[in-house]
Amino acid sequence: MRTALIHSPAYSRYDYGPSHPLRMERLGLAFALMEAYGLTRLPGTRVIAPDPAEESAIRGFHTAEYLDVLRAASRGAEVPAAYRYGLGPGDNPIWPGCYEASALACGGSILAAELVARGEVGRAFAFGGGLHHAMPDRASGFCYLNDAVLAIQTLRRHGLRVLYVDIDAHHGDGVQAAFYQTDDVLTLSTHERGDRLFPGTGFVEEIGEGRGRGYAVNLSLNPYTDDAVYLDAFDQVLPAVAQAFEPDVVVAQLGIDSHRTDPLTHLALTVDGFAAAVRRILDRAPRLVALGGGGYDLANVARAWTAAWALMNEVTVPEHLPPGFLTTGARHLAGRTTLWDDPSPLPIETVRAAREFAERQVLGLRRLVFPILGAS
Ligand SMILES: [Zn+2]
């Protein structure tokens, strides 16, 4: 299996600002751990730095008006109605280069899609992407440009049927919206329930419209959903949906803000559970374009995406983090020394509530979506 890792050292030039939870340094930290494990020098693997996406490609999803505003804001111009485009103090601050950094992430995800579509590699991982909340005409949820949509559009231009699987703790609303009315792309998102977490959508009843009816699949989860509950529910949905849809390629958004130590969400996965989900996605992916996503505990980002990249290359790595990385990552590791987690179990009542909720969601999907897809 030939693979490609898409990474740009230029990401480190950009910064959302000191008080923002999305730290660009997480990308360098993840790459440093992959490097320390020797995962950037595997036979059959290429590490490629992307160019920023052309505006013509970005216009495939975003409006010209929004791009004009974002570019002006990015270079420091006064943009009086910025808030109308989701920009300003808060989730989507204006910072120097916010357009360029976003265009670079788009370039990375489009490149991953091109390499896979042309058959140059079977799996590509653009972990700087996965910015799944951006909407055609506005920024949302730390996302200015939706690289995931652009990657899927690239694959569609090659005539490929795309299954999008989003395991970020937040609903993949921007990607769902982009393909809500088509049956060429099936979006499956697992996430903390929308009445508890941003962006407030992703309910089981959101199943697509028109020709796309049945091609949006949402599995909401209760706070404190752990590995066992998550994987049981995932196993009842992903294989059935994939088997019915028969994708040519899977685009996976691999946000790791589902982790129990993530400061922004309330799911309770571990790196082990995350990796088990990635393994299941790999099992269902004839070809794979993997993207990054959320993740606000930086040690988790580095460990989870390194584990995912090892799986994509079918190699196992030692459990103990390489000594060099313990120094590089010391500030973020908070004493953690292994790739995997060994957390104490959650209270039994908490697990039971999460399991009951997940089971109700799966039943809802079986009733609302499976019949349309012919899934069982
Ligand atoms: Zn997220």
Side-chain angles (χ1 to χ4, degrees):
M1 174 73 72
R2 279 172 301 163
T3 59
L5 183 65
I6 312 300
H7 175 62
S8 175
Y11 287 129
S12 64
R13 289 208 301 262
Y14 302 109
D15 188 8
Y16 279 61
S19 60
H20 198 282
L22 196 148
R23 312 294 321 148
M24 290 298 275
E25 65 189 293
R26 69 205 193 111
L27 301 176
L29 195 69
F31 188 76
L33 183 53
M34 294 174 194
E35 228 174 4
Y37 269 125
L39 296 173
T40 54
R41 299 178 300 276
L42 299 168
T45 293
R46 293 153 69 190
V47 178
I48 312 175
D51 292 321
E54 301 283 345
E55 184 178 337
S56 57
I58 300 172
R59 291 265 302 260
F61 182 56
H62 293 285
T63 65
E65 185 183 316
Y66 170 56
L67 294 181
D68 287 345
V69 168
L70 183 61
R71 243 195 329 258
S74 179
R75 62 168 183 264
E78 196 64 38
V79 185
Y83 66 90
R84 269 199 261 144
Y85 304 90
L87 301 168
D91 280 3
N92 317 302
I94 293 167
W95 39 277
C98 59
Y99 179 87
E100 287 72 17
S102 304
L104 189 57
C106 290
S109 301
I110 292 170
L111 173 61
E114 278 292 346
L115 292 169
V116 168
R118 293 199 300 254
E120 290 185 33
V121 301
R123 295 167 179 167
F125 189 15
F127 59 95
L131 302 166
H132 58 171
H133 296 304
M135 292 295 178
D137 55 357
R138 65 185 161 88
S140 176
F142 315 162
C143 307
Y144 302 85
L145 299 175
N146 200 318
D147 61 284
V149 168
L150 301 180
I152 295 169
Q153 288 178 338
T154 303
L155 296 163
R156 285 297 306 138
R157 272 196 293 280
H158 287 266
L160 300 171
R161 262 171 98 68
V162 182
L163 170 60
Y164 173 74
V165 182
D166 184 322
I167 62 170
D168 193 279
H170 300 92
H171 176 225
D173 58 342
V175 184
Q176 175 176 293
F179 303 105
Y180 208 56
Q181 294 174 335
T182 178
D183 54 4
D184 297 326
V185 177
L186 190 152
T187 61
L188 163 60
S189 177
T190 68
H191 44 264
E192 184 173 341
R193 53 196 287 186
D195 53 349
R196 299 290 172 85
L197 190 70
F198 179 90
T201 53
F203 297 99
V204 68
E205 297 83 8
E206 295 167 34
I207 64 167
E209 283 171 2
R211 207 157 59 83
R213 199 176 142 76
Y215 291 80
V217 180
N218 285 294
L219 177 61
S220 326
L221 300 159
N222 225 29
Y224 310 110
T225 293
D226 67 4
D227 292 347
V229 171
Y230 181 87
L231 293 170
D232 280 353
F234 201 47
D235 280 341
Q236 291 180 72
V237 177
L238 175 67
V241 163
Q243 198 167 20
F245 183 68
E246 295 187 87
D248 298 308
V249 55
V250 172
V251 173
Q253 198 272 19
L254 302 180
I256 179 60
D257 44 7
S258 56
H259 195 282
R260 67 169 66 187
T261 63
D262 195 274
L264 297 196
T265 77
H266 319 95
L267 297 182
L269 269 66
T270 66
V271 170
D272 315 51
F274 167 88
V278 171
R279 208 173 291 124
R280 284 155 168 79
I281 294 170
L282 283 167
D283 285 344
R284 297 290 161 181
R287 296 185 250 176
L288 178 72
V289 175
L291 310 173
Y296 308 98
D297 178 330
L298 272 55
N300 295 338
V301 173
R303 294 183 305 141
W305 292 350
T306 297
W309 177 237
L311 285 169
M312 287 177 220
N313 288 287
E314 291 159 14
V315 297
T316 42
V317 292
E319 178 181 351
H320 285 277
L321 299 173
F325 185 77
L326 293 178
T327 315
T328 319
R331 198 156 60 84
H332 304 292
L333 285 169
R336 284 165 285 193
T337 58
T338 59
L339 189 63
W340 310 111
D341 289 307
D342 186 17
S344 47
L346 297 170
I348 198 155
E349 279 308 315
T350 305
V351 174
R352 185 175 300 148
R355 186 170 292 281
E356 282 171 10
F357 186 83
E359 279 168 6
R360 276 205 304 282
Q361 301 306 308
V362 171
L363 279 177
L365 289 174
R366 285 187 181 285
R367 188 168 54 81
L368 292 169
V369 174
F370 282 25
I372 301 174
L373 293 175
S376 55

